[in-house]
Structures are given as C-alpha cells and as structure tokens.
Amino acid sequence: MSLISSWISPLAAALLAAVALPAAQAQAPSPMGATAQAVADTRLPASVDAALTRARIPRDAVSLLVLDVDGKSAPRLAWRTQVPMNPASVMKLVTTYAALDQLGPAYVWRTPVYFGGPVADGALRGNLYIQGQGDPKLVLERLWLMLRRLQGMGVKVIVGDIVLDRSAFQLPAHDAASFDNEPWRPYNAAPDALLVNYKAVGLGFAPDTGAGVARIQYDPPMSGMETQATVPLAAMNSDCGDWRSKLQLDMSDPQRIAFQGQYAAQCGEKSWSVAPAQPELFAARAIEGMWRELGGKLTGSVHDGRVPAGLQPALQIESPSLAEVVRDVNKYSNNIMAQQVFLTLGMQRTGVASFETSRQVLAQWWQARFGSDQPAVDNGAGLSRNAWVTAGGLGRMLQQAWNSPVMPEFVASMPIVGVDGTLRRSQSRHAGAAHLKTGTLRDASALAGYVDSASGRRYVLVAMANHPNAGAARQAWEALIDWVGAQ
C-alpha cells in the first residue's frame, strides 16, 4: 500500500503500507470560501459521466483536468478547474516535487552519534548521544546497523545514559486519536526528529499447530513493554477472514500489547503493524530494546536531552537518498514520511523544523514557480481536513515537473496503474501506461499524474471529488484513465 531493496524484511515492507491512510477513514468537508465555480470548457466524457451517476456524485462536487504535458494545446478536458478542492494524499505530489526541486534527488538525512566519554576495555565511560535530524527512514534494519557499528567501535557497555536529542523539530502536542479516533493505526503517528521505525511495531504471526498457538514476533523489541508471546489457535478449519479483528488487540494498558482473541491456522504467516500508546517513548524503548537484544549493556537509562556543545560525532549514519524516500512516500502514500520530508524544507531554511516555517518555504517556492492558485498544504501529507488545491494549479505544477531536471525521479515515484503501489489492483485497460498518485479520505477522492495515450501523446491528468459519496469515485477515475489512454 514497492520497489524496496531486496533485503528489506516483510515486516518492514508492511510498515510502508500501514502508515498510509486507508480508504474511508476521515471526513473532508466542502471548501469554505471557494471562488465562483468555473464554467466548464468541455463536456465530460460519457463513460466518466455515467460512472459518476452510478456513484451518485454530483457534477458540481468534481474537478477534472486533462492537458498535454507540453501545454501547447488547449486542455482536452477542463471541469471546475479553479475551485479549491481537498486532494487528500495527492497533496504529497506538491510536497515531494517541492523537495526534489529544492533539495535535489541526492539529498540525504544524517543522524550523528556522539560519545560523552572515552571508550576503553569495551566500555563507553559516559553518555551516548543520538541526534535526530529528521531521517524519514530510520527503520528496524538501519537501527540494527547503527548499533552494530557502535559495537564494532568497541562499545559493548555504556556506563552512563543513552540521550536522544530530538530538538531539530519544534512541533505542537499531537493527539493520535484526533483525526479518526484510531490512535493505534501507524498513519496517525506524529513526525519526529528521531523517527524510529515510523513509531510502529511490526507483529509477525506464525501458527504452530502442534502447540495449538500462533507465535508472535515483535520488531523492534520494546524495552519496558510487556508483550504476549503466543495467541491460541482458533478451532480446526476456521477460515482466516478478518484475522486482525479476531485477534482482539488490547492496548488499553500503555505498558502492554495483548490479545483477547484467537488466530486461525488457515491464515499462515501474517504481518501487522501497530502504533503503541505513548509514542513519545517509542524511540527510547526501541533503541534500548534493540541494544540489549544485541548483547549490549547499559548502566543508566534512555531519555531525551541535548547534545553538549563542543562534541564531535563519533559516527553518523545516512538515510537513503531523497529520490528513494520519495518513491516510498508516493508509491505507498506514506503519511509520516511525507511529513518528515515537508518539515525538512523548513529545517533546511531555518535550522529548526516546524509546520509553519515549512508552509512558508513551500508558499514562497510555489509563488516563484507558479504564481497563482496557491495551495493550502497544512501538514504536507494530505492527511488533513484543511488542505486545498485547484486542479488548474496542480496541473500547471505537473506540466512544469515534466520539463524539470528531477522529472525522472518524480514520475518514477508514482504508482504505475495496474502494476504497483496503491494502484496495483487497478482494472484500467491501460495497465502500465500511467503514473498516477491516489488520494482517499472519507469525503474526498483524488487522482493525479501522467497518462501515455495510444497515439503516443502524454497527458497530465487531475481528478478530484469532494462529496460524501467520494469513496465510490474509483470507477469514474478508471473510466477517465481509459478515456485519456484512448486519445
């Protein structure tokens, strides 16, 4: 919900899907203070019009735009293109293109590690400091490599504390339940200067029929949390069905992950990612848990703090490049990674990241590049009821992106229709011939990107619906892809 490196674990791959917002999870109200509706330039294609009728989505709840990437001819379709619409996760296209354009595809995040004392006889005699700089992909495997590098430098025992410096991000308090009252879903996690494994625990279930249980693996291991090692198997021949609901996850106790239900052996091995309570403690619990599992010892505790002035990094790890990060953001609609990228725009300009500084940076960039139709990006991920963009503005951005130096990285980051990412299940007749980003909230559905037509021409496509029935717009969007592909 990849074109992920071959070494990544199934649990880590599942996290990329878990931090995307599933369909029908949150409401997006109609635009407030919208300008007068633009008069339609062209008639809606008959197949698209019929699909909207079946979905009971009125025409005045839809905005559609199809135009050549070179902009040398009149739009093939322009319907209410100047009306601000909530694009849901399609807003990630604005954030990722702005980042590629301003930071460059080879940009990397660095996480420095400092020694607060000498290392002798296998012991660091002082604190260990880890300074977060916004890395969106400090996942399980990379955390393991960082701690292994420490041990390779002779640190087996830390005679002191592990201090986590998360001061690079200055963010307001975050309530993970505020968006849709489902705080345990990883897509509701807040960004963090030291974001470890997307603040999500990967749960691996493996049935052991001989013992009558499913064994559970937790990645990363969480220090200080009580976890349940097994869950009973359901009755013989029980179907898999909605296996997550049948497990009856119980996280009412912030110190515990437990299950009240059963697991069907018919399910085989499954993975599930959840965001535990007290997300502000996630990094500390994960780092201590991993350090101890690797055989490392710690005499003190793990807590937040600041790196003392004057220390030089003993080592630093680098993230994958921005081009790789953007692929995960757009292919799988990864919300927390998108916010990390968005906040990095402000951090690069001011040294400290905040949503306000990032909004200012993006607004200045948009004004310089496109002038009018300024979008309201809110958190940069589209996981918002307060994000707006016009189809006309987004279409112009996509035209310019096609002719920019970062076009290959930007286009390759989008799902390929009928092939991968959030569009792998598309039934379009033009599978493989379009790169498009999807967006879905409860009252918003959107699609935008590029379509190659049968004639060899390439088109920009933008489609947005804001309506209580927007979730049913998928067939209309597939009809629109097919119509453009047949041009």
Side-chain angles (χ1 to χ4, degrees):
M1 202 193 95
S2 133
L3 302 181
I4 309 173
S5 300
S6 60
W7 52 264
I8 196 166
S9 70
L11 285 175
L15 288 176
L16 289 170
V19 290
L21 178 66
Q25 287 298 317
Q27 295 183 345
S30 299
M32 299 300 295
T35 58
Q37 294 179 6
V39 176
D41 308 320
T42 58
R43 295 169 56 184
L44 297 186
S47 58
V48 177
D49 194 60
L52 290 170
T53 297
R54 290 193 298 272
R56 298 187 209 173
I57 299 174
R59 309 306 176 268
D60 62 3
V62 172
S63 183
L64 304 171
L65 178 65
V66 176
L67 67 168
D68 291 301
V69 292
D70 58 17
K72 294 180 180 178
S73 57
R76 295 288 297 165
L77 172 64
W79 180 267
R80 300 176 75 246
T81 61
Q82 299 307 308
V83 180
M85 303 281 282
N86 190 327
S89 282
V90 165
M91 186 62 80
K92 292 180 176 72
L93 293 181
V94 177
T95 296
T96 53
Y97 177 49
L100 286 168
D101 189 48
Q102 295 184 77
L103 303 176
Y107 178 87
V108 294
W109 289 260
R110 294 179 173 87
T111 303
V113 180
Y114 304 81
F115 292 168
V119 177
D121 300 323
L124 166 61
R125 300 193 178 279
N127 294 338
L128 179 78
Y129 298 90
I130 303 175
Q131 187 175 51
Q133 297 286 345
D135 186 344
K137 204 166 182 183
L138 186 53
V139 291
L140 176 67
E141 294 88 345
R142 295 184 61 240
L143 175 62
W144 182 88
L145 288 170
M146 180 181 76
L147 298 180
R148 285 287 294 156
R149 280 186 63 186
L150 280 173
Q151 293 188 343
M153 296 173 71
V155 179
K156 308 295 184 183
V157 180
I158 300 171
V159 185
D161 299 336
I162 298 178
V163 181
L164 310 180
D165 189 337
R166 300 157 63 194
S167 60
F169 282 11
Q170 292 185 357
L171 304 175
H174 177 73
D175 179 3
S178 64
F179 193 74
D180 55 11
N181 202 34
E182 297 193 46
W184 55 271
R185 290 186 179 271
Y187 64 76
N188 276 321
D192 199 308
L194 188 61
L195 179 70
V196 174
N197 214 51
Y198 315 129
K199 296 186 181 178
V201 176
L203 311 176
F205 298 88
D208 182 342
T209 53
V213 299
R215 304 194 183 279
I216 311 173
Q217 178 176 330
Y218 299 82
D219 291 308
M222 300 292 284
S223 178
M225 288 199 74
E226 181 183 346
T227 54
Q228 186 173 322
T230 63
V231 64
L233 289 179
M236 188 75 67
N237 298 323
S238 295
D239 69 343
C240 190
D242 186 2
W243 59 275
R244 290 184 179 91
S245 294
K246 293 174 182 177
L247 280 167
Q248 298 179 39
L249 174 65
D250 180 4
M251 290 200 296
S252 56
D253 182 348
Q255 309 295 327
R256 186 168 177 259
I257 299 177
F259 302 90
Q260 305 298 326
Q262 298 176 322
Y263 185 82
Q266 298 276 10
C267 293
E269 294 190 10
K270 294 282 189 183
S271 298
W272 186 13
S273 296
V274 299
Q278 299 178 315
E280 70 280 3
L281 299 179
F282 188 93
R285 287 170 167 166
I287 289 171
E288 182 174 355
M290 180 71 75
W291 177 249
R292 294 190 184 280
E293 186 171 87
L294 287 171
K297 296 180 180 179
L298 174 67
T299 65
S301 63
V302 185
H303 59 84
D304 289 346
R306 295 288 188 101
V307 176
L311 284 187
Q312 295 300 312
L315 69 111
Q316 61 181 4
I317 60 168
E318 289 189 351
S319 73
S321 69
L322 176 61
E324 296 176 72
V325 167
V326 163
R327 287 170 71 90
D328 284 344
V329 169
N330 287 334
K331 290 278 188 187
Y332 297 93
S333 208
N334 190 304
N335 289 294
I336 197 165
M337 289 179 77
Q339 292 182 65
Q340 297 283 120
V341 171
F342 180 63
L343 286 163
T344 299
L345 295 175
M347 185 175 69
Q348 284 300 301
R349 180 71 60 85
T350 67
V352 177
S354 73
F355 284 121
E356 183 56 35
T357 57
S358 293
R359 285 191 284 265
Q360 291 173 2
V361 169
L362 196 142
Q364 292 165 4
W365 170 81
W366 185 280
Q367 182 64 34
R369 291 289 195 192
F370 314 111
S372 60
D373 291 323
Q374 183 82 235
V377 294
D378 196 15
N379 59 28
L383 187 64
S384 170
R385 300 182 180 92
N386 301 307
W388 311 105
V389 70
T390 66
L394 190 55
R396 286 201 308 279
M397 188 202 82
L398 289 168
Q399 279 182 321
Q400 189 191 92
W402 181 260
N403 293 294
S404 78
V406 299
M407 178 274 288
E409 291 81 10
F410 182 58
V411 176
S413 75
M414 300 181 202
I416 304 172
V417 171
V419 175
D420 67 2
T422 57
L423 281 171
R424 65 191 181 281
R425 295 192 178 95
S426 170
Q427 299 301 307
S428 169
R429 296 193 299 272
H430 292 271
H435 286 77
L436 295 161
K437 177 75 189 76
T438 60
T440 307
L441 298 176
R442 184 171 296 159
D443 284 2
S445 177
L447 190 71
Y450 305 96
V451 180
D452 289 341
S453 72
S455 66
R457 301 180 72 177
R458 183 168 289 113
Y459 293 92
V460 166
L461 179 154
V462 180
M464 294 182 283
N466 287 180
H467 187 267
N469 293 338
R474 180 183 295 271
Q475 300 241 338
W477 300 163
E478 300 243 316
L480 182 60
I481 296 169
D482 289 344
W483 180 79
V484 176
Q487 297 302 303

